[in-house]
Structures are given as C-alpha cells and as structure tokens.
C-alpha cells in the first residue's frame, strides 16, 4: 500500500540513550516532516525537508537531528533522550502543502 | 502571536444529531486552513483545504466553511464511524512548509 511507513511503532528508552526513528514514503513526494504530538497540544514541527538534500528546523528542534537520506527516507535521531521527549512522533510527506500531508502511523516513545 | 484554538475540546452526539466544530485563528496573512481527521492510534488524515473567506468544501457528511476569523466543520446526520479527533491547522506568513495546529476536538457519536 502506498503511503508513509514509520519504524518502530513503540519504543522505551532510558534517559541518556540514543535512537533513530525511521521514515520512508513511496509517493514520490518532495517534502517530508517530523512532528511530535503531546496530549492537549497541537502537533509541533520538529524538522522538515523541503526537498532532497535540504533540512530545516521547525518549532521545537532542540535535542533532535535529522537526515534526508534520499527522496524516500527521512530519519529523526535523539542523541541523548530526556523524559521531556516522551511523545508520539509522526512523520509526514507532501507534494505541496496545499494538497495536505500524508502521515505515518506514528511512533510512541517513552523515556524513563 | 499566531494562534489556532479549537472548540469544544470534546463533543458527544447521538447518531443523526447534526452539529458544528469551531476553529478560530489569529494569524498574520492567512494562506490556507486545513482540516484533518485522526483516529485513535493513527496519524491524521487530510480532509480539506480552504483558502479564502466564504469558501466551502464538502465530503460526505462533512462541510467546512471559512470566515476571516474562524472555520467551522459542520457534521450532518453523523454516524458512529464519524467518531474521531478533528484537527485544524493554518498556514500563515511567508513559510511554505510550517503549519500552526489546534489541539483538536474529540467527537464521539453514540448509536
């Protein structure tokens, strides 16, 4: 099925551990995004990649890094996880913003 | 400060009972307003884009409208499968890539 695939679906980390969240899309979209979703708050943009080879900070980039590996793949790395990074992380892609995002099914991350 | 506020936080309706969800915004230079639906444990699913005051979009039992200060998502004769969280987001200013999101309205339709 065409869409956005995220791995893993669930992860528990200890404070200070590192991990990489993987995202791949097969719709030939130029732009890809990483969001976090916390209870009672709107989605917040962490990083985005407007096109292959470019990445830019969003609203809440501190503590995260990203890599646009190729047109299909966009990964998010937590170098030293903190409890404040406990959240649900969504990857999304789009052709153009006005046509809407296609979201992945999310990664539920708990940092203890 | 740019802001998007959705109300109510939660709404319980009987099947067939029509109602509206509200998304109010205070932004500089609205370029587009988006509605998404999110089911539990899943990513949001795109519904509509609205560009200018007076515009309307429809999809099945849903109709979205836009004024200069707010947008409404009207739900006509809802069914239990319409139960979900509905998210509103706004594109404003010069960015081609960043949206401002509301916290969502959780809609529950009881049979």
């Amino acid at each position: 099925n065409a869409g956005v695939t995220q791995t893993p679906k669930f992860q528990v980390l200890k404070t200070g551990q590192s991990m990489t969240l993987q995202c791949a899309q097969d719709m030939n979209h130029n732009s890809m995004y990483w969001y976090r979703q916390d209870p009672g708050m709107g989605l917040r943009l962490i990083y985005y990649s407007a096109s292959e080879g470019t990445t830019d900070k969003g609203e809440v980039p501190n503590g995260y890094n990203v890599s646009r590996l190729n047109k299909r793949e966009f990964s998010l790395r937590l170098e030293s996880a903190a409890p404040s990074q406990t959240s649900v992380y969504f990857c999304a892609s789009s052709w153009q913003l006005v046509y809407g995002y296609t979201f992945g099914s999310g990664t539920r991350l708990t940092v203890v | 400060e740019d802001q998007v506020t959705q109300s109510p936080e939660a709404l319980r309706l009987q099947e067939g009972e029509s109602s509206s969800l509200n998304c109010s915004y205070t932004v500089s230079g609205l370029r587009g307003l988006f509605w998404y639906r999110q089911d539990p444990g899943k990513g949001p699913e795109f519904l509509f884009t609205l560009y200018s005051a007076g515009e309307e979009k429809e999809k099945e039992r849903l109709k979205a409208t836009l004024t200069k200060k707010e947008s409404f998502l009207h739900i006509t004769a809802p069914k239990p499968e319409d139960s979900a969280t509905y998210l509103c987001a706004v594109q404003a200013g010069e960015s081609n890539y960043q949206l401002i999101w509301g916290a969502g309205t959780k809609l529950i339709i009881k049979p």
Side-chain angles (χ1 to χ4, degrees):
Chain A
N1 292 334
V4 177
T5 303
Q6 288 184 239
T7 56
K9 292 190 181 300
F10 301 94
Q11 185 71 48
V12 178
L13 290 179
K14 293 182 179 179
T15 298
Q17 286 185 319
S18 62
M19 78 162 295
T20 300
L21 280 63
Q22 306 287 352
C23 175
Q25 54 95 5
D26 59 5
M27 296 168 288
N28 203 34
H29 286 165
N30 287 329
S31 304
M32 298 186 73
Y33 309 80
W34 277 104
Y35 278 95
R36 61 179 288 172
Q37 187 174 42
D38 299 294
M41 301 182 69
L43 286 159
R44 291 184 291 170
L45 183 64
I46 304 171
Y47 272 93
Y48 67 97
S49 171
S51 60
E52 186 178 357
T54 68
T55 61
D56 285 286
K57 295 178 180 180
E59 181 184 358
V60 289
N62 291 344
Y64 306 95
N65 284 300
V66 291
S67 296
R68 183 76 182 264
L69 304 172
N70 46 56
K71 192 169 186 178
R72 291 187 64 249
E73 299 173 286
F74 188 39
S75 62
L76 178 71
R77 183 161 179 84
L78 288 70
E79 291 291 351
S80 179
S84 61
Q85 294 178 307
T86 294
S87 187
V88 180
Y89 291 85
F90 287 103
C91 178
S93 69
S94 70
W95 176 241
Q96 292 186 28
L97 199 59
V98 295
Y99 300 125
Y101 293 131
T102 300
F103 281 89
S105 57
T107 295
R108 186 172 294 275
L109 176 67
T110 302
V111 183
V112 298
Chain B
E1 179 183 355
D2 293 341
Q3 195 168 0
V4 176
T5 303
Q6 292 188 246
S7 61
E9 290 186 12
L11 181 62
R12 294 176 181 268
L13 300 172
Q14 288 294 136
E15 183 173 1
E17 181 184 2
S18 301
S19 188
S20 296
L21 313 182
N22 179 264
C23 172
S24 63
Y25 59 90
T26 53
V27 299
S28 302
L30 178 72
R31 296 174 62 187
L33 185 142
F34 306 83
W35 282 99
Y36 284 77
R37 169 193 170 125
Q38 186 175 22
D39 293 303
K42 296 188 177 181
E45 176 185 350
F46 172 71
L47 292 173
F48 305 112
T49 305
L50 302 167
Y51 295 101
S52 57
E55 189 174 1
E56 300 182 352
K57 293 275 180 72
E58 287 190 65
K59 181 179 181 179
E60 296 181 354
R61 295 176 291 282
L62 300 176
K63 184 170 78 173
T65 62
L66 182 63
T67 73
K68 290 186 177 180
K69 294 183 178 181
E70 58 195 345
S71 176
F72 293 94
L73 185 65
H74 307 277
I75 302 174
T76 303
K79 299 181 178 182
E81 53 262 41
D82 295 320
S83 297
T85 297
Y86 290 85
L87 305 175
C88 169
V90 166
Q91 182 186 8
E94 297 182 354
S95 174
N96 289 325
Y97 301 97
Q98 300 205 37
L99 300 180
I100 305 162
W101 293 80
T105 293
K106 184 175 183 178
L107 178 66
I108 299 170
I109 308 299
K110 297 176 287 184

